[in-house]
Amino acid sequence: MRVPLRFVLPAIVFAGLVVFFFIGLRLNPGEIQSPLVGKAAPAFALESLGDPTRQVGSADFAGRPWLLNVWATWCAGCRDEHETLMAITRQNRLPMVGLNWRDDRALALRWLDQLGNPYVAVAFDHDGRTAIDWGVYGAPETFLIGADGRVLRKHIGAITMAVWERDFAPLLAPQGEG
Amino acid sequence: MIPRRRRLLAVTAIVAGVAAATTLAMLAFEDNLLYFYNPTQVHAGQAPTDRMFRIGGMVTEGSVQRTEGTLKIRFVVTDYRESIPVNYEGLLPDLFREGQGVIAHGRLTDTGEFVASEVLAKHDENYMPPEVAESLHMPTPARPTT
Amino acid sequence: MIPEIGHFALILALLLAIAQSIFGLGGAARHHAAWMAAGRSAVVGQFVFVAVAFGALVHAFVQRDFSVLYVAMNSNSQLPVYFRVAAVWGGHEGSLLLWSLCLAAWSLAVTGFSTSLDGPFRSRVIGILGLISIGFQLFMLTTSNPFERLVPAAADGQDLNPLLQDFALTVHPPILYLGYVGFAVAFAFACATLLEGRLDAAWARWTRPWTLAAWLFLTVGIALGSWWAYYELGWGGWWFWDPVENASFMPWLAGTALIHSLAVTEKRGLFKSWTLLLAVSAFSLSLLGTFLVRSGVLISVHAFATDPARGIFILGFLTAVVGGALLLYAWRAPRLKSAAGFEATSRESFLLFNNVFLIAALGLILLGTLYPLFMDALELGKITVGPPYFELVFLVPMLPLLALVGVGMHAAWKRGLLGSARNRLFIIAGSVLAAALIIGAAGYGEIRPLTTIGFALALWVMATAIAIPVARLRARLPIPGAVLGMVIAHFGLGLTTLGITGVQSFKVEKDVALAVGEAAAVADYDFRLIALRDVQGPNFVGVQADVVVSRAGEPIATLHPQKRQYNSGGNPMTEAGIEVGAARDLFAALGDDLGQGRWSLRLQYKPLIRYIWFGALLIALGGGLAALDRRYRRSAEARAAAAASTATARAQ
């Protein structure tokens, strides 16, 4: 049975739209994993948040897997994920390093004081240069760095236990703990 | 009316209608399509000088200057590689803040400064307009640590 | 515990939705009475469980259960209880549950009120609604679970976005969703018609009241959103052609075209396949809107937090539902033929033009909304389409449409209109043109072409609408609900047009810097800042300005715009000070402290703006009256009686 064009046209037009939407979704920056994944983690050496005379640097953690969590007191999502960060630190033996991004030192210290400190050390990135090196474009972001110094995984946005279990924990197994 | 003639009339009407609608759309699009450029592109001269466009990036910390007692304000928009100064006169959105994402509509002056007619700030601390996020996301070489 | 019950209820709802689809569609295909009955029971069951899930979420919010992630992200211990309830639909997951609840409610209503419908047909409608329900439950359970736990529980929540802590925003989503989702009923009716290969137009009669009901909710929802944006967003705008606003406006345009097209199909059996296509399109646009808002492909002030997995799911769902319906249409619609003819000035002709102009506007708005996406996908640059585009492409088709509305209401079916109506219309036309010129000149001191046309068209529609009951009363004819509804709705349309013309033509907006004691002039009014003081609320602190508005030296009103800082942190919020009047609004919003004792203020004079929303309410009222016309109920009873006697005859 030959179907007149005008009856098939809506379906064809819709199909075209769907193609565009699909492309549009793929373009969504949220989907783009950092070009950093698989490459060497950018080196940094910054002032410690608590004690400006001491330094916190990527070199301190070489040779074992560690986490870098970018956070700030002005970031609502950081508040969201804080409990999860505490839980991750309690349950796992890998160091979590905080990168306090473009923040006020006093406020940041008070935050940790009031809410608890999941980090073994916090680097104070006042002007944001280190964050740029890591390709950070929003807070919070969490990176998993392997024992060989390569970035294994990046998560944009507040991390949840579901994300941790699904995306980060499996990557820890082959490396062993600690 | 003979069915075939009526059919012809209908088809002609539809074609004419679509043509009219398309013409209207084209006319309306002119001047109302605002392209987005990041500060690096503006600095490189890729942004138009004769029409309005959008510029977006982060508001550089410490760059906001008000002319006391007036509505005039000046701030710098950056993508961490280049920066463009923006001049604006009027009320700023509540969400406007240093260190946060911003998009401004306006045009360039001869002096390379941007005069904004409208300033939009992101509506949530974690949200960055996708264009801004993408442009900030262009790979940068690792910098030597200080 | 309760959240887990909610989660479990949702799973049960999904299973029941699956049952509803299988028994509904299968039962109809096999003419299996028991299956069809099971389908109907499944509808009830699904509603019950979705309601339980919704109730569980409300409970979690009211009880401040911050061990539920969604509650922690959208609520706060200081939030008053009514906002805690509203916060249930303040974020993505909860709003999906609201969608689901609305769909379950509509499904229940259709099942309950359509006993006069042909059994298998009704069963198919239920089955299709079930398929759509499956999609939403699945979406929630796989990507957007509102009951996800936060372990360990948060000490306090993140708070509901202060922008949403407002009455209008609490009722706006439920009403809007009732509208969006309500179009699923028309969609289901259309698909059932196509599935059955029905050649008659009875389905149009059945669909019409349901479509009117959904449409009226959507009208109110959109009007509420516009009114809220006006007083809450602080800048006095009432429509921004933002992608999310367009996402609700496009189904409305399609719905408006649909209710008019249904009239023709019901009355004269014409436009059958077109009306079916429209019915499919209205709901498709609702789903499209959901996709655009939640997937992150378009940038908008309103958009929910985005997550690519969700975008993919919605796109898949959209493709399945809409693609399926359109393929069904392509397969079955060609069989439908309309034989009757009509004259150029008959009512059918006017309704045809109504559809043409509405769809033209819809198409152009859709183009403008999706254009940035096309450009981005083709890597041609990142663009936004500014409001002037939408204003122009909407205005151009609306002008002839409004003119024709006035005539169409008086046109007779099938034959051309002539006779007494024609003279009446000419007189009205002349009068409104004169009135428009007078309003412009006397009311606002100037006459502009577009403004005069706008006022004239507004008055034209209102006057021609009123002329109908006047003529009927004179001829001692009754005014059925459908006619009264039509009159009131079109009158409302005229009122809205009046408001829009007034505001867009004569509004004055000024950003000023004022110190206490200083004043600024806006139109004929003098806005003087007389005080600035600190204020405190239940969960915020702020600054309030007292602005006295005078005209010709006489004080008229005092406005109290505020700048608030909510205790839960975040950015400051602006509360505008508005003085409402019969002919205008006076508006002041507080900006920032500029130093040297000065603050920035946005001052506005908005003539006739209230009529925009008042007109919209009348439109919705008209729709409601038309939906409740006894014709639908009476014939329903008659058909039920006929069906009962047939059943009795069969049983013997």
Side-chain angles (χ1 to χ4, degrees):
Chain A
M1 179 185 72
R2 292 258 318 273
V3 180
L5 178 66
R6 68 177 186 277
F7 290 106
V8 193
L9 201 57
I12 295 175
V13 168
F14 179 66
L17 272 183
V18 171
V19 169
F20 272 109
F21 291 147
F22 190 67
I23 300 176
L25 274 183
R26 290 262 151 235
L27 288 179
N28 191 323
E31 270 222 321
I32 304 171
Q33 267 292 298
S34 167
L36 210 51
V37 172
K39 308 222 176 40
F44 67 89
L46 294 167
E47 285 176 2
S48 160
L49 182 73
D51 185 355
T53 62
R54 286 189 25 229
Q55 287 236 310
V56 174
S58 45
D60 301 338
F61 305 100
R64 53 184 166 155
W66 55 286
L67 287 170
L68 183 74
N69 175 257
V70 180
W71 67 283
T73 55
W74 45 260
C75 143
C78 303
R79 179 65 190 83
D80 269 350
E81 69 168 11
H82 194 85
E83 281 71 23
T84 309
L85 293 178
M86 298 293 286
I88 292 173
T89 298
R90 269 200 301 273
Q91 294 168 15
N92 296 274
R93 281 198 262 135
L94 79 166
M96 186 185 295
V97 180
L99 186 70
N100 185 234
W101 186 36
R102 309 179 124 248
D103 207 347
D104 176 297
R105 198 188 281 269
L107 287 176
L109 286 168
R110 193 170 66 173
W111 163 289
L112 294 176
D113 204 45
Q114 285 177 341
L115 298 175
N117 189 349
Y119 309 111
V120 303
V122 183
F124 187 52
D125 186 12
H126 181 65
D127 58 15
R129 285 279 180 226
T130 300
I132 296 168
D133 291 345
W134 284 74
V136 171
Y137 59 73
E141 288 187 2
T142 307
F143 296 81
L144 174 63
I145 299 96
D148 56 359
R150 281 184 309 139
V151 174
L152 296 179
R153 182 81 204 183
K154 167 176 175 173
H155 182 74
I156 300 162
I159 196 166
T160 64
M161 283 314 283
V163 171
W164 173 260
E165 303 288 325
R166 188 189 68 207
D167 296 332
F168 285 75
L171 297 169
L172 291 173
Q175 316 259 1
E177 288 184 296
Chain B
M1 214 187 274
I2 318 167
R4 198 174 66 181
R5 185 126 171 258
R6 183 183 230 174
R7 183 92 174 277
L8 194 61
L9 203 66
V11 170
T12 318
I14 292 176
V15 170
V18 171
T22 313
T23 316
L24 179 60
M26 309 278 296
L27 233 99
F29 271 140
E30 245 177 55
D31 289 338
N32 288 316
L33 285 185
L34 290 172
Y35 282 82
F36 172 88
Y37 300 93
N38 59 39
T40 304
Q41 289 167 320
V42 177
H43 195 261
Q46 292 172 12
T49 47
D50 60 342
R51 58 219 313 252
M52 303 254 289
F53 63 92
R54 304 194 325 158
I55 187 173
M58 303 291 266
V59 181
T60 308
E61 296 266 5
S63 69
V64 175
Q65 292 169 313
R66 282 191 179 280
T67 309
E68 287 265 316
T70 72
L71 294 168
K72 288 198 174 61
I73 190 166
R74 190 176 185 284
F75 58 92
V76 174
V77 176
T78 182
D79 57 2
Y80 300 127
R81 289 192 293 169
E82 299 295 346
S83 306
I84 300 286
V86 173
N87 289 296
Y88 176 65
E89 187 164 357
L91 265 67
L92 286 170
D94 290 332
L95 296 165
F96 177 85
R97 218 149 84 178
E98 290 180 352
Q100 294 197 10
V102 71
I103 288 188
H105 296 207
R107 43 167 28 116
L108 281 174
T109 62
D110 314 317
T111 53
E113 296 208 335
F114 189 84
V115 174
S117 56
E118 203 185 343
V119 173
L120 307 170
K122 47 181 188 151
H123 65 285
D124 157 50
E125 275 103 34
N126 287 337
Y127 173 80
M128 180 174 301
E131 305 120 323
V132 178
E134 255 188 67
S135 67
L136 288 179
H137 211 51
M138 289 191 232
T140 50
R143 287 211 177 78
T145 50
T146 40
Chain C
M1 180 53 180
I2 305 256
E4 272 67 39
I5 292 178
H7 191 188
F8 189 56
L10 217 48
I11 296 175
L12 286 176
L14 171 63
L15 294 173
L16 281 166
I18 295 174
Q20 184 179 325
S21 313
I22 294 177
F23 288 124
L25 290 169
R30 296 149 127 253
H31 285 271
H32 201 304
W35 276 35
M36 294 197 274
R40 292 196 294 275
S41 309
V43 171
V44 178
Q46 210 210 136
F47 176 76
V48 167
F49 285 112
V50 174
V52 166
F54 194 80
L57 194 58
V58 172
H59 182 263
F61 269 89
V62 171
Q63 293 299 109
R64 299 181 249 237
D65 185 355
F66 298 124
S67 69
V68 178
L69 180 62
Y70 181 68
V71 179
M73 290 189 63
N74 289 288
S75 183
N76 183 277
S77 53
Q78 288 179 339
L79 199 59
V81 67
Y82 39 88
F83 287 135
R84 291 210 295 277
V85 173
V88 170
W89 49 83
H92 168 74
E93 294 87 341
S95 71
L96 276 183
L97 190 50
L98 183 62
W99 247 94
S100 214
L101 184 65
C102 289
L103 186 57
W106 278 108
S107 305
L108 189 65
V110 170
T111 311
F113 284 107
S114 57
T115 42
S116 59
L117 277 187
D118 193 31
F121 184 81
R122 177 163 74 145
S123 196
R124 286 200 168 91
V125 169
I126 287 172
I128 292 164
L129 288 171
L131 286 175
I132 301 173
S133 307
I134 293 176
F136 276 96
Q137 319 308 14
L138 214 52
F139 187 33
M140 273 189 283
L141 288 167
T142 54
T143 70
S144 321
N145 185 1
F147 299 107
E148 192 170 315
R149 288 284 195 178
L150 179 64
V151 178
D156 202 342
Q158 190 190 331
D159 205 6
L160 180 63
N161 188 336
L163 262 182
L164 302 179
Q165 290 183 29
D166 177 277
F167 165 74
L169 253 288
T170 61
V171 296
H172 166 67
I175 294 180
L176 200 65
Y177 287 13
L178 278 173
Y180 276 147
V181 178
F183 282 143
V185 177
F187 177 87
F189 272 96
C191 290
T193 307
L194 288 166
L195 267 176
E196 278 192 5
R198 288 187 93 95
L199 299 178
D200 64 19
W203 66 272
R205 167 178 285 256
W206 298 331
T207 312
R208 208 164 160 206
W210 294 105
T211 311
L212 279 165
W215 177 82
L216 83 85
F217 279 115
L218 192 56
T219 308
V220 176
I222 294 175
L224 262 177
S226 166
W227 174 57
W228 173 82
Y230 169 68
Y231 72 75
E232 181 58 35
L233 289 183
W235 314 119
W238 54 273
W239 192 260
F240 307 90
W241 297 106
D242 180 86
V244 173
E245 286 176 320
N246 295 348
S248 67
F249 194 52
M250 291 190 288
W252 186 86
L253 287 171
T256 309
L258 179 60
I259 58 182
H260 290 91
S261 190
L262 277 170
V264 181
T265 307
E266 176 189 351
K267 195 86 180 190
R268 304 220 52 233
L270 293 167
F271 306 163
K272 277 187 279 215
S273 47
W274 169 250
T275 306
L276 284 169
L277 185 61
L278 263 184
V280 169
S281 305
F283 185 60
S284 305
L285 286 165
S286 294
L287 284 181
L288 177 68
T290 303
F291 171 72
L292 292 177
V293 169
R294 294 165 198 272
S295 65
V297 290
L298 289 178
I299 318 120
S300 160
V301 168
H302 295 71
F304 291 100
T306 62
D307 174 355
R310 293 171 178 173
I312 296 279
F313 189 104
I314 306 180
L315 185 59
F317 182 51
L318 183 69
T319 309
V321 173
V322 179
L326 289 177
L327 286 173
L328 186 60
Y329 174 79
W331 175 39
R332 290 292 182 134
R335 281 209 241 151
L336 297 167
K337 283 187 193 354
S338 304
F342 55 90
E343 298 223 349
T345 47
S346 63
R347 187 173 283 207
E348 295 91 310
S349 181
F350 284 105
L351 289 175
L352 174 65
F353 278 114
N354 157 297
N355 267 225
V356 164
F357 288 121
L358 281 173
I359 298 306
L362 171 60
L364 289 166
I365 291 175
L366 183 63
L367 179 65
T369 306
L370 295 180
Y371 203 71
L373 175 59
F374 295 147
M375 295 283 277
D376 200 14
L378 296 171
E379 310 227 341
L380 292 173
K382 299 199 180 296
I383 59 156
T384 10
V385 179
Y389 165 84
F390 292 104
E391 282 165 13
L392 183 59
V393 300
F394 185 64
L395 184 67
V396 169
M398 285 304 108
L399 295 178
L401 178 64
L402 288 169
L404 292 176
V405 164
V407 185
M409 282 192 282
H410 293 259
W413 290 101
K414 197 168 179 187
R415 294 176 309 277
L417 96 98
L418 280 175
S420 58
R422 187 198 235 178
N423 294 332
R424 238 185 290 154
L425 291 176
F426 274 123
I427 295 173
I428 296 178
S431 318
V432 298
L433 189 56
L437 289 164
I438 294 173
I439 293 179
Y444 301 100
E446 52 182 302
I447 295 187
R448 282 185 236 162
L450 199 57
T451 306
T452 310
I453 294 175
F455 280 139
L457 284 173
L459 293 169
W460 164 250
V461 171
M462 289 195 279
T464 49
I466 295 186
I468 299 216
V470 163
R472 277 187 173 247
L473 287 171
R474 272 223 209 117
R476 296 181 190 278
L477 286 170
I479 305 178
V483 173
L484 187 61
M486 177 191 80
V487 166
I488 291 179
H490 287 120
F491 185 82
L493 175 66
L495 214 51
T496 298
T497 309
L498 188 71
I500 295 177
T501 309
V503 163
Q504 297 304 98
S505 306
F506 297 117
K507 69 177 175 193
V508 181
E509 293 166 5
K510 264 194 187 171
D511 286 353
V512 296
L514 294 178
V516 173
E518 291 179 349
V522 176
D524 293 339
Y525 299 88
D526 176 272
F527 286 70
R528 182 174 301 272
L529 178 64
I530 58 166
L532 276 168
R533 41 207 174 92
D534 293 327
V535 287
Q536 205 172 31
N539 54 346
F540 65 88
V541 293
V543 175
Q544 177 173 298
D546 294 333
V547 178
V548 169
V549 186
S550 342
R551 188 187 202 184
E554 290 293 319
I556 299 180
T558 308
L559 306 173
H560 304 286
Q562 290 181 353
K563 199 74 165 187
R564 294 182 183 176
Q565 183 67 47
Y566 279 79
N567 299 343
S568 53
N571 294 84
M573 300 277 315
T574 311
E575 294 291 316
I578 304 178
E579 164 75 10
V580 179
R584 85 290 177 278
D585 267 21
L586 297 166
F587 182 106
L590 198 55
D592 297 306
D593 189 342
L594 301 176
Q596 290 187 358
R598 288 220 169 88
W599 277 70
S600 55
L601 285 138
R602 176 161 293 182
L603 305 170
Q604 302 189 42
Y605 163 68
K606 304 283 244 199
L608 301 180
I609 194 169
R610 296 273 145 181
Y611 295 110
I612 300 177
W613 306 305
F614 187 50
L617 288 180
L618 284 180
I619 294 176
L621 177 63
L625 285 171
L628 293 172
D629 185 289
R630 280 190 304 156
R631 187 177 51 170
Y632 299 113
R633 290 181 276 146
R634 200 192 315 133
S635 54
E637 287 158 23
R639 262 182 280 129
S645 59
T646 324
T648 328
R650 274 216 204 106
Q652 282 168 349

